[in-house]
Amino acid sequence: QPEQWREIMNKKMRFPPELLNAIQEGRIELLCGLLRTGDGIIRQLDESEDRQWREALNLSIRLGNEDAMDALLQGVKFDFRQIHEALLVAVDTNQPKVVKRLLDRLDQEKGNKMDVRSFSQAIFDRSIDDSQFAPGVTPLTLACQKDLYEIVTMLTQKGHVIPWPHKISCACLECRNGRQYDLLKFSLSRINTYRGIASRAYLSVTSNDAMLSAFSLSRELRKLSQKEPEFKQPQYLSLEQLCQEFAVELLGMCRNQSEVTTILNSCGDESQDALDEQAFEEGIPNLSRLRLAVNYNQKQFVAHPICQQVLSSIWCGNLAGWRGSRTIWKLLVSVGIFFTMPFLCLVYWVAPKSKAGKILKIPVIKFLLHSASYLWFLITLLGESITMEMYRDKFASRQQNILHSSFHMVWVVFFWYECKEVWIEGLRSYFLDWWNCLDVMVLSMYLASFALRVLIMLKGHFLCHDQSNSDECIYFTQTRDNWHQEDPQLISEVLFAVTSMLSFTRLAYILPAHESLGTLQISIGKMIDDMMFMFILMIIGTAFLCGINNVYVPYVISPHLGFNETFNFLFWTMFGVANQDYVDMPQFVLAEFVGRILYGIFTLVIVIVLLNMLIAMITNSFQKIEDDADVEWKFARSKLYLSYFREGLTMPVPFNIIPSPKAIFYILGIFKRICCCCNYNSEQKYPPIASVSSDKGSEDSLPYRQQVIRALVQRYIESARREFEETKRKIGNRITELNKAVSRMHIEMKGIQQLLLTDGHAPNDALTKDGSSVLGKYIIGAKNNFRG
Ligand SMILES: [Zn+2]
């Protein structure tokens, strides 16, 4: 009964063990023979029963044995998942040809486009997976992670996409099921998907504007790292870093100025670009992409030499000599501007369109003007302090002239300036900058202080106006000693004192313009970041405050009487300026003993904590600063530069309240724009790229910006490929040398074997020694070859 026999044979021979050897040794005839044992094609009945066919296919692909793979594909009926895994293996070993063949095979199988979604169904597979690929890895994500441009292109052309992961808190059915079924697999597949999306290959192949996608992706990843802190450190942050680097590398592919200006001045959305145009001074490009990078915190991108060059060229405008000139000269000009500021402002007010007016509009001059105005403000504050000392007795009473100490209020008209800034920037982005928050606080405190003083003056004036010596009028004429604690004048004075101190903090806004000062400022700012140690210090302080206070409080005779004194004592102990007699109380031995021990422990602990704090602060922030001091400073400086490129606000503070003729023109311009906005159309500013590819009709219709982006991406891919080829060539050379050495060794070995055989069975001592020495020599030679 041949039929029955064949049945048994089929069952037994479903996976002949010789097969693996045949594949490994590349013996195709044997393989074909083994496959042809049944009649026709071997069918797999139960796929989960044995994965061995799969392994055979994977092995043949991994070995690069294409004939064996063909034989297997023809001889065995593989199902969808098996081919999927084979595809993964082919991608993993970077064999575009094999990938193509497998894809074609899949196409045949499905007839139409393959169902990519069914890959994600693997989440619901609970069996212990002996596949070597993590959950959620599809051929496309794997190729992306390995930056295989060719395969990525091939796969995307076949319609593969990486579906964007849902939000972390998504409540849709799919996510809920996935989370409930297997939380780890769920998050792993999320991360693997992000790994694919954030790869250079995926960004450059699929995205229209790879740089913008990299920006937004990096922002998204940073947000995710906060939402999913479990995967923050190695996963999300390294991906984010990858995105940032990719954008920087793309920028580095620019070859001429026109490309750079195109890239930096457009950020995709054309209507947005047109709107942004109005925010900057005329003659200054809108730099929308650069501003986007600043908003998205792309420090490396902003600090790239290309961006920095563009920024500083705009910063100096047509004062070409400024950049190269010496420090002394710059200093002289600054001092000159400082003293002639009112005059310069007058010139600008009268003739903003004149040559002098235009020079004043150059950002660097504008910056100097504003800094001069600020310095004048500080000088006024100092001057007022000195005046107050001169008229001390007047200031002690209510007789003071409000004008004596309110000259600084001229500057507080700053407020007007700030309002204008808010108007231009929009409220939200305005308060995103912490310095602006501080500004608003300082200004409102100045205003409050001033308002209180005006109030008290008016009240005194009206109360004592009608000569009636009422109680309140008498209170107003009394000296300071008799005032209430909450007297408005006292409050206003305290407010003024604090605010005048805070006013100096705005200097921090100016400092980044200078290299070493800016870097220093950043390093100090980072140290303040580490102030969480203060919290620990506070806990320790409070604990001991409580303990020591409770030890001594019942003894009325002791020199310390309360909470306040104990606090004082402990606080100054931290800095070593406290009287140790405080804990002495010889009459009560036990209390003294405990108190002294507590105090001793406190001193010890505080020394350790403070010392550690110091060490941690110094090493930590120094390390951080060492790493990217330059980048941080350039980023801060770029922010400063950009804030001075904005339109308007040319006049420094005390003068900006006067409406200039220019403002009237500006308002007229707004009206005009409202009228004309219906038929507003932007014309193309740049000539179309003159390239080899211009003969293609479809390319011409693309805007210049996209052509540039495409060219950049092309160059990037090209350079990556070249690098890859280079390394491959180097390794290939080594391998061929190694192969040669091995084959030579093979021949020699055969020779020795022959020699031994002809000599008979008796082993010859000298010959074996000779043979082993030959072998050793070859092994050493091969090793050297490989190392060299
Ligand atoms: Zn969802």
Side-chain angles (χ1 to χ4, degrees):
Q1 285 87 5
E3 283 298 313
Q4 233 175 353
W5 172 242
R6 196 171 285 150
E7 190 76 0
I8 293 165
M9 187 64 188
N10 230 348
K11 272 228 164 109
K12 282 279 169 203
M13 287 294 288
R14 202 187 281 153
F15 190 85
E18 307 93 64
L19 203 64
L20 276 185
N21 289 330
I23 292 170
Q24 221 144 20
E25 285 158 22
R27 283 188 285 175
I28 306 298
E29 311 85 51
L30 177 62
L31 183 63
C32 292
L34 281 170
L35 284 175
R36 235 175 263 125
T37 45
D39 60 334
I41 292 173
I42 295 175
R43 289 183 192 281
Q44 280 186 272
L45 304 172
D46 190 1
E47 174 263 331
S48 64
E49 191 187 322
D50 62 357
R51 292 166 181 268
Q52 284 158 321
W53 283 113
R54 209 193 285 203
E55 262 154 35
L57 184 62
N58 292 352
L59 183 71
S60 70
I61 292 172
R62 209 166 269 287
L63 290 174
N65 195 341
E66 284 182 37
D67 297 327
M69 187 196 83
D70 275 343
L72 275 170
L73 277 180
Q74 274 163 16
V76 185
K77 175 153 174 51
F78 288 104
D79 77 341
F80 179 74
R81 281 180 61 181
Q82 284 166 323
I83 294 189
H84 173 223
E85 196 174 320
L87 202 55
L88 280 175
V89 174
V91 171
D92 193 36
T93 48
N94 188 15
Q95 302 182 60
K97 267 194 242 161
V98 179
V99 171
K100 180 134 187 31
R101 200 168 303 164
L102 287 170
L103 279 176
D104 289 342
R105 171 72 190 250
L106 269 181
D107 274 355
Q108 281 172 19
E109 200 117 313
K110 286 268 156 181
N112 44 20
K113 230 194 253 174
M114 58 190 286
D115 188 13
V116 184
R117 291 186 69 80
S118 54
F119 291 149
S120 63
Q121 297 302 316
I123 276 193
F124 301 107
D125 182 8
R126 212 173 228 178
S127 60
I128 293 176
D129 202 356
D130 55 359
S131 137
Q132 49 186 318
F133 301 103
V137 172
T138 66
L140 184 55
T141 45
L142 189 66
C144 288
Q145 284 169 29
K146 293 182 157 259
D147 280 337
L148 307 172
Y149 294 91
E150 205 175 330
I151 295 177
V152 172
T153 320
M154 205 188 294
L155 286 167
T156 43
Q157 273 166 2
K158 282 274 179 196
H160 286 227
V161 282
I162 302 182
W164 198 270
H166 295 198
K167 269 189 276 176
I168 180 69
S169 55
C170 178
C172 76
L173 192 67
E174 194 185 332
C175 293
R176 254 190 353 237
N177 280 344
R179 230 175 274 139
Q180 240 165 27
Y181 203 79
D182 195 331
L183 187 60
L184 179 64
K185 256 189 182 179
F186 179 72
S187 21
L188 278 184
S189 69
R190 265 177 73 84
I191 284 171
N192 277 325
T193 314
Y194 271 116
R195 224 173 252 161
I197 291 175
S199 69
R200 283 138 210 255
Y202 190 73
L203 282 173
S204 46
V205 170
T206 58
S207 158
N208 258 339
D209 191 333
M211 206 185 268
L212 272 186
S213 322
F215 281 177
S216 50
L217 191 61
S218 119
R219 192 161 86 146
E220 163 136 8
L221 286 170
R222 204 173 309 139
K223 273 186 196 160
L224 273 175
S225 74
Q226 280 160 11
K227 281 184 191 161
E228 259 182 307
E230 305 90 351
F231 296 107
K232 177 179 178 180
Q233 221 13 278
Q235 283 93 356
Y236 283 134
L237 286 190
S238 63
L239 284 181
E240 195 244 321
Q241 192 62 28
L242 213 66
C243 285
Q244 283 204 29
E245 278 166 12
F246 177 59
V248 173
E249 279 162 14
L250 270 187
L251 183 68
M253 291 289 146
C254 283
R255 286 190 189 151
N256 58 39
Q257 198 58 43
S258 111
E259 285 175 6
V260 172
T261 23
T262 316
I263 291 293
L264 292 186
N265 287 333
S266 62
C267 65
D269 196 358
E270 299 293 336
S271 58
Q272 188 65 34
D273 288 354
L275 266 179
D276 278 347
E277 203 88 32
Q278 297 145 20
F280 272 181
E281 292 275 8
E282 53 181 296
I284 295 181
N286 72 355
L287 298 178
S288 55
R289 186 170 307 224
L290 190 56
R291 275 184 298 158
L292 196 76
V294 169
N295 281 344
Y296 283 10
N297 230 12
Q298 303 283 319
K299 290 187 178 160
Q300 285 168 14
F301 184 87
V302 176
H304 192 277
I306 288 178
C307 285
Q308 289 298 309
Q309 197 188 27
V310 167
L311 279 174
S312 24
S313 72
I314 299 172
W315 178 246
C316 301
N318 44 14
L319 286 179
W322 178 265
R323 283 172 74 185
S325 56
R326 292 166 63 187
T327 322
I328 296 277
W329 175 240
K330 285 181 187 170
L331 213 66
L332 266 179
V333 172
S334 313
V335 171
I337 286 177
F338 177 67
F339 283 113
T340 56
M341 192 190 75
F343 173 70
L344 290 177
C345 290
L346 191 72
V347 168
Y348 182 77
W349 190 71
V350 172
K353 297 276 178 191
S354 71
K355 208 173 172 192
K358 274 186 180 148
I359 286 180
L360 289 180
K361 268 174 92 173
I362 293 171
V364 63
I365 304 292
K366 204 161 126 185
F367 168 72
L368 286 176
L369 270 178
H370 283 264
S371 308
S373 142
Y374 175 64
L375 285 182
W376 277 115
F377 169 65
L378 293 185
I379 288 171
T380 317
L381 272 182
L382 283 177
E384 276 173 10
S385 302
I386 293 165
T387 340
M388 274 205 262
E389 204 181 342
M390 280 160 68
Y391 300 95
R392 216 168 174 172
D393 38 345
K394 264 196 177 173
F395 274 96
S397 69
R398 294 194 202 268
Q399 246 94 62
Q400 54 171 301
N401 190 342
I402 205 160
L403 290 178
H404 270 177
S405 60
S406 299
F407 196 62
H408 67 271
M409 285 311 289
V410 176
W411 268 271
V412 179
V413 201
F414 249 123
F415 199 51
W416 176 239
Y417 176 94
E418 295 291 346
C419 287
K420 246 172 140 180
E421 204 170 358
V422 172
W423 172 258
I424 289 170
E425 272 192 48
L427 207 60
R428 201 164 153 267
S429 71
Y430 180 78
F431 281 110
L432 272 182
D433 194 353
W434 287 103
W435 289 114
N436 287 336
C437 292
L438 189 70
D439 277 352
V440 168
M441 204 177 79
V442 166
L443 284 174
S444 38
M445 277 162 79
Y446 268 128
L447 282 180
S449 154
F450 186 70
L452 279 176
R453 278 163 74 190
V454 169
L455 183 89
I456 211 84
M457 196 187 72
L458 289 179
K459 201 173 174 192
H461 182 74
F462 283 116
L463 280 177
C464 304
H465 185 59
D466 45 355
Q467 316 293 315
S468 65
N469 282 347
S470 63
D471 287 349
E472 280 170 352
C473 181
I474 289 167
Y475 174 75
F476 265 89
T477 49
Q478 274 170 339
T479 50
R480 199 166 275 256
D481 315 329
N482 303 328
W483 292 354
H484 299 310
Q485 291 291 322
E486 68 282 358
D487 189 277
Q489 188 164 345
L490 298 183
I491 295 174
S492 108
E493 277 163 10
V494 170
L495 264 180
F496 176 67
V498 172
T499 320
S500 58
M501 181 195 76
L502 285 179
S503 303
F504 284 81
T505 53
R506 233 209 130 136
L507 268 180
Y509 198 73
I510 297 177
L511 289 186
H514 189 268
E515 177 160 9
S516 46
L517 284 178
T519 322
L520 199 66
Q521 187 202 326
I522 286 167
S523 77
I524 289 171
K526 289 231 162 176
M527 281 197 195
I528 292 173
D529 275 357
D530 292 337
M531 279 302 185
M532 278 311 277
F533 271 102
M534 280 305 215
F535 188 68
I536 292 172
L537 208 65
M538 221 171 66
I539 293 174
I540 294 170
T542 319
F544 279 94
L545 176 63
C546 202
I548 292 183
N549 189 51
N550 288 351
V551 168
Y552 287 98
V553 125
Y555 304 94
V556 187
I557 45 114
S558 68
H560 38 71
L561 288 168
F563 219 67
N564 259 339
E565 283 79 7
T566 318
F567 178 75
N568 244 342
F569 169 64
L570 290 184
F571 182 76
W572 290 112
T573 300
M574 271 199 272
F575 305 100
V577 276
N579 186 9
Q580 270 100 49
D581 299 344
Y582 191 87
V583 282
D584 288 345
M585 202 165 53
Q587 307 95 309
F588 303 99
V589 184
L590 180 71
E592 193 196 44
F593 179 68
V594 173
R596 276 183 174 175
I597 284 186
L598 281 186
Y599 181 61
I601 295 174
F602 173 75
T603 322
L604 216 69
V605 168
I606 235 47
V607 164
I608 291 170
V609 167
L610 281 180
L611 209 64
N612 268 313
M613 194 161 114
L614 192 72
I615 292 169
M617 245 158 88
I618 288 177
T619 52
N620 206 7
S621 32
F622 255 78
Q623 199 53 52
K624 267 194 242 162
I625 288 302
E626 284 283 299
D627 289 346
D628 43 21
D630 196 48
V631 172
E632 291 275 346
W633 167 63
K634 278 178 179 156
F635 187 69
R637 191 181 62 170
S638 309
K639 267 191 190 168
L640 171 75
Y641 280 5
L642 282 174
S643 72
Y644 280 94
F645 291 171
R646 246 179 268 121
E647 195 186 5
L649 314 172
T650 313
M651 294 278 252
V653 162
F655 306 98
N656 61 357
I657 192 147
I658 317 161
S660 61
K662 198 182 129 195
I664 296 162
F665 280 121
Y666 184 71
I667 291 167
L668 282 180
I670 288 177
F671 275 117
K672 206 172 141 196
R673 207 174 290 142
I674 290 168
C675 299
C676 309
C677 72
C678 345
N679 49 10
Y680 179 77
N681 56 342
S682 59
E683 69 272 35
Q684 186 146 5
K685 279 178 216 138
Y686 304 99
I689 194 166
S691 67
V692 198
S693 63
S694 63
D695 52 348
K696 285 178 200 161
S698 58
E699 294 275 309
D700 279 340
S701 57
L702 279 174
Y704 183 69
R705 176 182 64 86
Q706 286 203 336
Q707 290 181 42
V708 172
I709 290 275
R710 210 164 262 200
L712 290 187
V713 170
Q714 209 57 47
R715 273 175 224 161
Y716 182 79
I717 293 178
E718 207 48 56
S719 77
R721 183 170 294 154
R722 234 175 293 135
E723 213 168 279
F724 180 72
E725 294 292 329
E726 186 69 14
T727 44
K728 209 167 99 179
R729 197 179 54 77
K730 273 183 193 161
I731 291 173
N733 281 347
R734 300 250 176 86
I735 287 177
T736 40
E737 275 167 32
L738 202 68
N739 271 342
K740 270 181 208 161
V742 168
S743 59
R744 238 180 300 150
M745 190 172 78
H746 213 79
I747 293 164
E748 300 254 337
M749 284 298 286
K750 265 188 183 160
I752 291 167
Q753 224 168 17
Q754 286 284 313
L755 220 66
L756 281 171
L757 282 176
T758 46
D759 271 11
H761 285 287
N764 193 328
D765 244 20
L767 256 177
T768 31
K769 216 178 250 174
D770 188 41
S772 63
S773 76
V774 167
L775 194 67
K777 208 176 72 193
Y778 270 110
I779 287 173
I780 287 166
K783 257 189 193 166
N784 286 345
N785 249 333
F786 201 61
R787 216 176 278 149

